[in-house]
Amino acid sequence: MTPPILIMHGDDEKIIFSVPSTSSDEPHTVTWDFDNDWLCTCDGCLKGTNFCKHMYQAKMFMEFLQVNLLADDHEVFTGVEL
């Protein structure tokens, strides 16, 4: 069974996720913040990929939780507590 995506930190500036890796036992850290948009620790992103599958998984997870990331207001509006 695949480990779940976890929210490790969330505030009004950024959200940090732990996203399972398909190639190792160590999860990737995916960050969404107002200054840098999406960031990931996977090899593809470290080599310059713009939007990796781990970022996509974190984004889909947020949509599943019905969390909206609104950079315009610099606030995270959510229907659930982080």
Side-chain angles (χ1 to χ4, degrees):
M1 182 174 190
T2 304
I5 295 172
L6 302 173
I7 296 175
M8 307 304 291
H9 173 82
D11 61 28
D12 63 348
E13 294 183 16
K14 65 184 166 192
I15 301 172
I16 301 172
F17 305 87
S18 175
V19 178
S21 172
T22 57
S23 60
S24 76
D25 292 334
E26 291 297 314
H28 297 289
T29 300
V30 175
T31 304
W32 182 86
D33 71 47
F34 290 103
D35 295 328
N36 298 304
D37 201 26
W38 290 97
L39 303 169
C40 182
T41 59
C42 74
D43 290 339
C45 286
L46 297 176
K47 293 177 183 174
T49 301
N50 291 331
F51 198 81
C52 71
K53 63 184 176 184
H54 311 107
M55 293 174 191
Y56 179 76
Q57 290 173 321
K59 185 175 188 259
M60 292 298 102
F61 182 66
M62 296 302 284
E63 288 180 12
F64 173 76
L65 293 177
Q66 297 180 346
V67 174
N68 295 313
L69 304 174
L70 303 175
D72 296 9
D73 298 328
H74 279 61
E75 292 184 33
V76 176
F77 294 93
T78 177
V80 296
E81 292 296 319
L82 296 178

